[in-house]
Structure formats: structure tokens, C-alpha cells
């Protein structure tokens, strides 16, 4: 595939951020540092999220936990798949040829991020149904329907990007760390339009519509509650505290996750559209926008840890369980250590 490249060009490392390297460095140092750093953050962060959901039963009371855990598993797989370009940049021999590696890696990451995007849209729909139809919510949203929905999310995401294997064009820039991806695999404006119409546009419109109505309804409920309390306090002579819509706080956490997702993915989508329409590409912009978008796989962990009090308690229980496990191992090794009478499993505290 790389026969068109001259010998001098193929003898050097293919680096999208090729500036400031020493002659003694024979691999893409800056790219490797960025990708490995993001890979470690994504894998470790999402493993923590998955374990916290198992250790905090209250988190599983929300039906959105199905979608949040789906996103966590998808983001974890994104982190694992990022090991592939890291090995390539380090000139580690890959088991299959570069062109197929490039296509498979680009397809997998595109599908996984599509799962996250579609899950965010489904979360917004779930919260919209919970607020607009609270009495019939439990009959409409059942566990088996949620599992079916998650299966359809994975199936739909796979089908959207499957045409990339049939010469429809490049689905994204996730594989541009490979020379073949950057130089021999081009975008197709029609395939780009297909992806936008089937994925990006519907997901964005659903999220905007649902959250706009969620916050409008919550604001209306808060206003009605405050008016009732004002009338009651004027009759009883005791001031009452205004209570906000109970679903608004949780909706705000989900809205922050969705907002950060689209903020980090917007440069990538804009560059994807511009490159597809003009045919001009920039390696630096490609690398920057791609890995900025992929970094979102770690952001969900940070938002949850800062915004969700139940998640924070689950994280404390998980850390307590780990500390207890370490302490029990020390006790097992040292028979003279006084054993604690507390529970050894911090997940069920």
C-alpha cells in the first residue's frame, strides 16, 4: 500500500505532529505521550465508574444507569483500542497489514463513539418521559425495553459505519496515525452527509428538544410550587422554603455530560465536514480534533465525581472496600495484628 512513497520518506517515522524531534528519536514522541496519557486516563477512569455502579445500589435505581454503564463500557473499549495506534507509533509490528488495521481501528472507534452519542440521546428521551408522563413512566420504561434499546443502539451504530468497509469513504480521522489512513484513505462527501443525517443531526436535535422542554417544565413546576407555598405561608404566617423540581438536579448532571460531549466533539465534526466538502486536509488539525474528541471518554468520570452525590458516596465505598481488602491481606500475613470487627466488603456498607 505504501509503494508510492519514496525510500527517504518511508525510512522516517510517520508523525502527524512532526516538529522539534531530535535525530536520535525514531518514533513519534509527542503523539505517543498524548495517546498513552489519554489511554491511561480513559481506561482507569471508566473502570472506576463501572466498579462504583456495582458498589452503589442507589445508582442503579435510575433507569438512566443502563445507558450510563453502556457509555462507560464503550468508553473503556475506546481506551483499550487506543493501544493500537500507540503500538504503531512505537513501530511495534502489528499482526495485520496497515490498511486493514487502519480501517478496523477507525470503524471500531467510530462505532463506540456513536454508541455514546446515541446513549446520550436516549438518556434525554428517558428523562423527558419521566417528567412529562410520571404516572405511566414505569409501565413505558421497563428493564427488558431498556435492554432492547441498548441492543438496538449497538446494532444501529454498527450499521451506520459498516459501509466504510465497502469503499464508501473514511468514517472519521481516528486512524490517521497510520500513514495509509492519512494519505490513501479519503473522505467522501456523500458518506459524510450520510453519517450526519443518520447520526449527528438526529442525536443533536433530540438532545436539544428534550432538554429544552425538561428545563422549561421544571421551571414551570418550581414556579407553581413557590406560588402555592407563598399562599400557604401568607395564611399560616410561617415562611416556607421554595423547593426546586426534584428531577432538575439529576437532569443538570446529565445535561453537563451531554454539553461537554458536544463541546469536545464539535471541532472534530466541523473539521470532518470542511475536509469532506473542500477536499483539503491538515494533519495537525486532524490529530488535534480527533484526540480532543476521544478525550471525552474520560470526562464523564470527572463530571460524575464532581456532580453526583450518590456517585461520590459509591466512590468512597469503593475506596473503603479496597482499603479493607488491603488491610485484610495484611492481617492474613501478620497473625499478631488485631482483626477489625467491621464488614470486609465496603460495597455493601
Amino acid at each position: 500500500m505504501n509503494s508510492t512513497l519514496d525510500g527517504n520518506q518511508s525510512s522516517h517515522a510517520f508523525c502527524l505532529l512532526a516538529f522539534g524531534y531530535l535525530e536520535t528519536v525514531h518514533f513519534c514522541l509527542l503523539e505517543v505521550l498524548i495517546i498513552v496519557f489519554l489511554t491511561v486516563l480513559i481506561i482507569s477512569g471508566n473502570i472506576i465508574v463501572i466498579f462504583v455502579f456495582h458498589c452503589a445500589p442507589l445508582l442503579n435505581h435510575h433507569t438512566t444507569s443502563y445507558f450510563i454503564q453502556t457509555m462507560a463500557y464503550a468508553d473503556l473499549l475506546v481506551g483499550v483500542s487506543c493501544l493500537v495506534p500507540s503500538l504503531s507509533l512505537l513501530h511495534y509490528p502489528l499482526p495485520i497489514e496497515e490498511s486493514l488495521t487502519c480501517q478496523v481501528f477507525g470503524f471500531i472507534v467510530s462505532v463506540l463513539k456513536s454508541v455514546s452519542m446515541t446513549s446520550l440521546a436516549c438518556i434525554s428521551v428517558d428523562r423527558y418521559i419521566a417528567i412529562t408522563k410520571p404516572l405511566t413512566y414505569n409501565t413505558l420504561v421497563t428493564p427488558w425495553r431498556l435492554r432492547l434499546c441498548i441492543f438496538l443502539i449497538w446494532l444501529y451504530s454498527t450499521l451506520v459505519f459498516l459501509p466504510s468497509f465497502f469503499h464508501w469513504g473514511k468514517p472519521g480521522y481516528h486512524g490517521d496515525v497510520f500513514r495509509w489512513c492519512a494519505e490513501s484513505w479519503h473522505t467522501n462527501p456523500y458518506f459524510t452527509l450520510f453519517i450526519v443525517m443518520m447520526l449527528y443531526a438526529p442525536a443533536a436535535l433530540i438532545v436539544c428538544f428534550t432538554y429544552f422542554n425538561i428545563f422549561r417544565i421544571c421551571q414551570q413546576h418550581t414556579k407553581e410550587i413557590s406560588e402555592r407555598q407563598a399562599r400557604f405561608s401568607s395564611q399560616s404566617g410561617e415562611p416556607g422554603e421554595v423547593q426546586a423540581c426534584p428531577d432538575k438536579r439529576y437532569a443538570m448532571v446529565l445535561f453537563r455530560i451531554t454539553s461537554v460531549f458536544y463541546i469536545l466533539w464539535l471541532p472534530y465534526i466541523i473539521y470532518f465536514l470542511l475536509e469532506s466538502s473542500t477536499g483539503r486536509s491538515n494533519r495537525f488539525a486532524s490529530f488535534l480534533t480527533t484526540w480532543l474528541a476521544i478525550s471525552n471518554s474520560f470526562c464523564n468520570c470527572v463530571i460524575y465525581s464532581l456532580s453526583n452525590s450518590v456517585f461520590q458516596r459509591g466512590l468512597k465505598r469503593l475506596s473503603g472496600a479496597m482499603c479493607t481488602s488491603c488491610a485484610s491481606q495484611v492481617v492474613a500475613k501478620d497473625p499478631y495484628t488485631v482483626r477489625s470487627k467491621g464488614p470486609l466488603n465496603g460495597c455493601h456498607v
Side-chain angles (χ1 to χ4, degrees):
M1 287 292 180
N2 297 330
S3 60
T4 58
L5 302 173
D6 57 31
N8 294 330
Q9 190 177 13
S10 60
S11 61
H12 295 285
F14 175 69
C15 304
L16 293 172
L17 306 179
F19 55 86
Y21 291 122
L22 300 175
E23 292 295 330
T24 56
V25 178
H26 299 290
F27 59 88
C28 307
L29 179 61
L30 184 56
E31 285 93 328
V32 170
L33 290 176
I34 293 174
I35 295 175
V36 170
F37 178 70
L38 286 177
T39 300
V40 172
L41 289 180
I42 292 170
I43 293 177
S44 58
N46 285 284
I47 287 177
I48 291 173
V49 170
I50 292 169
F51 274 105
V52 168
F53 268 94
H54 286 288
C55 287
L58 288 176
L59 284 171
N60 294 315
H61 289 175
H62 290 282
T63 54
T64 52
S65 66
Y66 285 83
F67 298 111
I68 296 294
Q69 292 182 72
T70 299
M71 291 173 57
Y73 281 108
D75 290 337
L76 177 61
L77 292 175
V78 169
V80 173
S81 64
C82 288
L83 296 173
V84 175
S86 300
L87 295 175
S88 173
L89 292 172
L90 289 170
H91 298 291
Y92 187 85
L94 297 173
I96 55 178
E97 63 179 4
E98 187 179 67
S99 60
L100 184 58
T101 303
C102 165
Q103 288 179 306
V104 172
F105 174 76
F107 171 77
I108 290 175
V109 177
S110 297
V111 169
L112 293 174
K113 299 316 296 179
S114 173
V115 169
S116 296
M117 187 177 295
T118 313
S119 296
L120 288 172
C122 290
I123 288 173
S124 66
V125 172
D126 174 80
R127 291 297 87 199
Y128 178 77
I129 295 174
I131 290 178
T132 55
K133 298 181 179 180
L135 298 179
T136 58
Y137 175 79
N138 290 330
T139 58
L140 293 174
V141 182
T142 58
W144 75 267
R145 287 181 179 176
L146 289 172
R147 295 187 185 97
L148 177 62
C149 183
I150 291 171
F151 170 76
L152 293 176
I153 286 173
W154 284 93
L155 179 62
Y156 183 78
S157 300
T158 302
L159 293 177
V160 167
F161 291 99
L162 195 60
S164 62
F165 286 105
F166 301 100
H167 308 290
W168 281 38
K170 187 191 296 187
Y173 302 96
H174 310 298
D176 274 7
V177 292
F178 303 100
R179 186 189 295 273
W180 188 87
C181 263
E183 297 181 352
S184 302
W185 200 21
H186 304 290
T187 57
N188 185 305
Y190 297 105
F191 186 42
T192 301
L193 180 63
F194 172 80
I195 295 173
V196 170
M197 297 301 294
M198 297 299 292
L199 180 63
Y200 296 153
L205 290 175
I206 289 172
V207 166
C208 292
F209 172 80
T210 51
Y211 279 114
F212 173 79
N213 284 280
I214 286 172
F215 291 122
R216 180 181 60 83
I217 294 171
C218 284
Q219 186 177 9
Q220 184 179 355
H221 287 178
T222 304
K223 184 179 178 180
E224 293 175 355
I225 293 172
S226 61
E227 289 177 353
R228 292 176 183 176
Q229 289 183 342
R231 288 196 299 267
F232 177 77
S233 59
S234 62
Q235 294 175 359
S236 61
E238 297 180 357
E241 296 181 358
V242 178
Q243 298 179 351
C245 179
D247 290 321
K248 186 175 182 180
R249 181 175 298 178
Y250 189 61
M252 279 299 300
V253 176
L254 300 174
F255 179 73
R256 290 191 193 105
I257 293 176
T258 306
S259 299
V260 170
F261 181 92
Y262 279 98
I263 289 172
L264 294 177
W265 272 86
L266 187 60
Y268 170 87
I269 294 173
I270 292 175
Y271 178 77
F272 187 32
L273 294 174
L274 289 176
E275 202 273 349
S276 299
S277 59
T278 62
R280 298 179 181 180
S281 61
N282 182 283
R283 291 180 179 177
F284 179 80
S286 168
F287 183 88
L288 184 64
T289 56
T290 296
W291 292 96
L292 179 66
I294 290 178
S295 68
N296 172 78
S297 297
F298 171 71
C299 293
N300 295 341
C301 319
V302 178
I303 296 173
Y304 253 102
S305 61
L306 295 177
S307 304
N308 194 319
S309 59
V310 178
F311 185 88
Q312 291 172 0
R313 291 197 295 270
L315 187 59
K316 291 179 181 178
R317 290 177 179 178
L318 177 62
S319 59
M322 294 176 64
C323 293
T324 305
S325 176
C326 293
S328 62
Q329 291 179 4
V330 172
V331 170
K333 292 180 180 179
D334 186 2
Y336 297 102
T337 305
V338 178
R339 295 180 180 269
S340 173
K341 295 182 180 180
L344 293 178
N345 190 356
C347 290
H348 301 288
V349 174

